[in-house]
Amino acid sequence: MSHTCDAFVLACMDFRFHQKISEPLKKMQINSYDLKCDAGGAKFLASSEKPAVRDWIFENIKISMRLHGVKKVVLVNHYDCGAYGGNKTWTNDEAQLNFHREQLTQAKARVAEKFPGLEVVTVFAKPEGEKLDLLPL
Ligand SMILES: [Zn+2]
């Protein structure tokens, strides 16, 4: 069994998404991944709040690179995320999507600054019936 994997995935701890995330990741050619779950997904990479959380996420990325040869990081924020106050935080889905686009852009910049050699991919997870869509943002 190979001891390398395709990506490091940072996603929210929300139980509704863990099992459903693997199928859409496969469609992105990510068949194996280290999974780090924190409330809000990339929230504390984007924010200046709780720098210790950000540092711990960076530490996990470092470990994933060292142990599993990871060259790609996937940052996943999701629809109706309680860490951001849930759907009621935004007046509509478009506003929510735009907000997360900004969050993920900021988070991506932080990861890229810390790890210039890594490819960083950002997606927004949205339920579609029983399945989950990962929209590139
Ligand atoms: Zn969440």
Side-chain angles (χ1 to χ4, degrees):
M1 188 175 170
S2 166
H3 206 62
T4 63
C5 66
D6 297 328
F8 174 92
V9 176
L10 175 67
C12 185
M13 65 183 207
D14 192 319
F15 72 97
R16 295 174 292 172
F17 296 91
H18 300 166
Q19 287 180 325
K20 293 178 181 174
I21 208 170
S22 64
E23 279 305 314
L25 282 172
K26 275 181 196 161
K27 288 182 193 157
M28 297 166 61
Q29 315 299 328
I30 297 168
N31 295 302
S32 58
Y33 51 91
D34 288 335
L35 178 61
K36 172 93 178 93
C37 294
D38 275 301
K43 179 177 181 177
F44 293 108
L45 286 179
S47 165
S48 299
E49 279 177 72
K50 303 189 192 300
V53 174
R54 186 172 63 239
D55 287 347
W56 180 234
I57 293 167
F58 285 155
E59 189 63 28
N60 275 254
I61 293 173
K62 239 185 260 176
I63 293 168
S64 184
M65 291 165 73
R66 191 177 73 236
L67 294 182
H68 302 145
V70 160
K71 294 183 175 64
K72 181 186 286 191
V73 169
V74 183
L75 304 177
V76 186
N77 274 19
H78 73 90
Y79 189 72
D80 192 25
C81 184
Y84 288 100
N87 282 345
K88 66 179 186 307
T89 301
W90 301 277
T91 50
N92 57 47
D93 284 0
E94 194 188 346
Q96 182 170 178
L97 201 66
N98 287 335
F99 174 85
H100 283 289
R101 183 177 286 116
E102 284 176 21
Q103 287 282 292
L104 288 165
T105 300
Q106 178 69 31
K108 179 178 179 172
R110 288 247 169 91
V111 175
E113 185 184 22
K114 183 85 179 172
F115 304 103
L118 282 180
E119 178 188 354
V120 185
V121 176
T122 55
V123 294
F124 185 66
K126 196 164 187 296
E128 286 298 334
E130 286 301 298
K131 293 193 171 181
L132 191 68
D133 263 359
L134 291 182
L135 313 170
L137 278 190

